[in-house]
Amino acid sequence: MSIELFDDALNGLEVRAEYDDGSGEVLDVSRWMGAVDAADLHLLSLIDGPALDVGCGPGRIAAALSARGIEAVGLDIAPGAVRIARDRGAQVLHGSVFGPLPRVGAWQHVLLVDGNVGIGGDPERLLRRTRELIAPDGSVHVEVGGGGARHGLVRARLRSADGAVGSWFRWAHVSMAGVEPLAATAGLSVENVWEVDDRCFVELCR
Ligand SMILES: C[S@@+](CC[C@H](N)C(=O)[O-])C[C@H]1O[C@@H](n2cnc3c(N)ncnc32)[C@H](O)[C@@H]1O
């Protein structure tokens, strides 16, 4: 991922994700920087133990969990995101989900929110990694695309409003319809499905 441009977005510059099929979208930074919304609040209500928020960005979920007295740690590779998340009161690790991490096999919950199941462009690998991270009775909460959402692997790059363009990186879109077979290949099964305000989530268990 083009980390510098992601940090530009967090600093208020409009940044678009462009996909290699010609489509694209403006990064929804205002949601990431804003307060938790109704869908986030429902997610928070399901978290009762140590949680790792993978790709936490500026940390709204990890900070909200901590404020509720639930042990939560954000994880992100973008230094600007880590800085903002810490300023918001979240405990945050700077690094990659594929790198060395504490408590492997002991997290009660791992979160992949806001399309973060796309990280690395290989959702099977990412879900296998999250399966390694959770405790035997833990779960992985994944936000997926709702009805008609795209599903598949893409290459993406970021373009900021000042004309800077990052390099291509691998990303993935995962839809509600497509998540079950992906989870199964990673040794996970869908235990719970829910939707609030057009945002769709699944809870995966071993
Ligand atoms: C779609 S944004 C997530 C926004 C975030 N969930 C929020 O609420 O603000 C994707 C995030 O994943 C992070 N990321 C990308 N690759 C990563 C990796 N390998 N490990 C951890 N974080 C990663 C990016 O830096 C970025 O903050």
Side-chain angles (χ1 to χ4, degrees), residues 1-81:
M1 196 170 216
S2 325
I3 297 306
E4 302 81 18
L5 295 190
F6 186 73
D7 280 346
D8 279 355
L10 297 179
N11 288 326
L13 207 58
E14 182 176 286
V15 174
R16 267 181 83 71
E18 297 179 340
Y19 302 112
D20 57 1
D21 62 3
S23 65
E25 59 193 319
V26 175
L27 298 186
D28 192 1
V29 176
S30 61
R31 178 147 66 83
W32 305 340
M33 296 292 281
V36 285
D37 63 16
D40 296 331
L41 284 170
H42 187 77
L43 174 63
L44 299 186
S45 74
L46 302 175
I47 308 297
D48 53 6
L52 181 68
D53 182 10
V54 172
C56 66
R60 75 177 191 287
I61 301 284
L65 283 168
S66 297
R68 284 162 173 72
I70 295 166
E71 195 179 345
V73 177
L75 169 70
D76 209 285
I77 50 168

Side-chain angles (χ1 to χ4, degrees), residues 117 123-124 127-128 130-131 140 142 151 174 178-191 202-206:
V117 65
E124 283 181 33
L127 290 177
R128 274 199 305 277
T130 60
R131 185 183 187 280
V140 186
V142 184
H151 180 86
V174 175
V179 71
E180 192 157 13
L182 271 178
T185 60
L188 293 165
S189 60
V190 177
E191 295 296 318
V202 292
E203 182 176 10
L204 308 177
C205 297
R206 288 181 176 200

Side-chain angles (χ1 to χ4, degrees), residues 80-137:
V82 169
R83 240 184 339 265
I84 296 171
R86 287 181 179 151
D87 286 348
R88 280 174 121 176
Q91 192 188 331
V92 187
L93 296 169
H94 182 206
S96 170
V97 63
F98 300 111
L101 288 175
R103 289 174 118 147
V104 172
W107 293 97
Q108 197 58 37
H109 303 278
V110 169
L111 312 183
L112 291 169
V113 183
D114 297 318
N116 284 357
V117 65
I119 286 174
D122 184 347
E124 283 181 33
R125 176 177 177 229
L126 180 57
L127 290 177
R128 274 199 305 277
R129 176 61 169 151
T130 60
R131 185 183 187 280
E132 255 171 33
L133 292 171
I134 55 172
D137 63 346

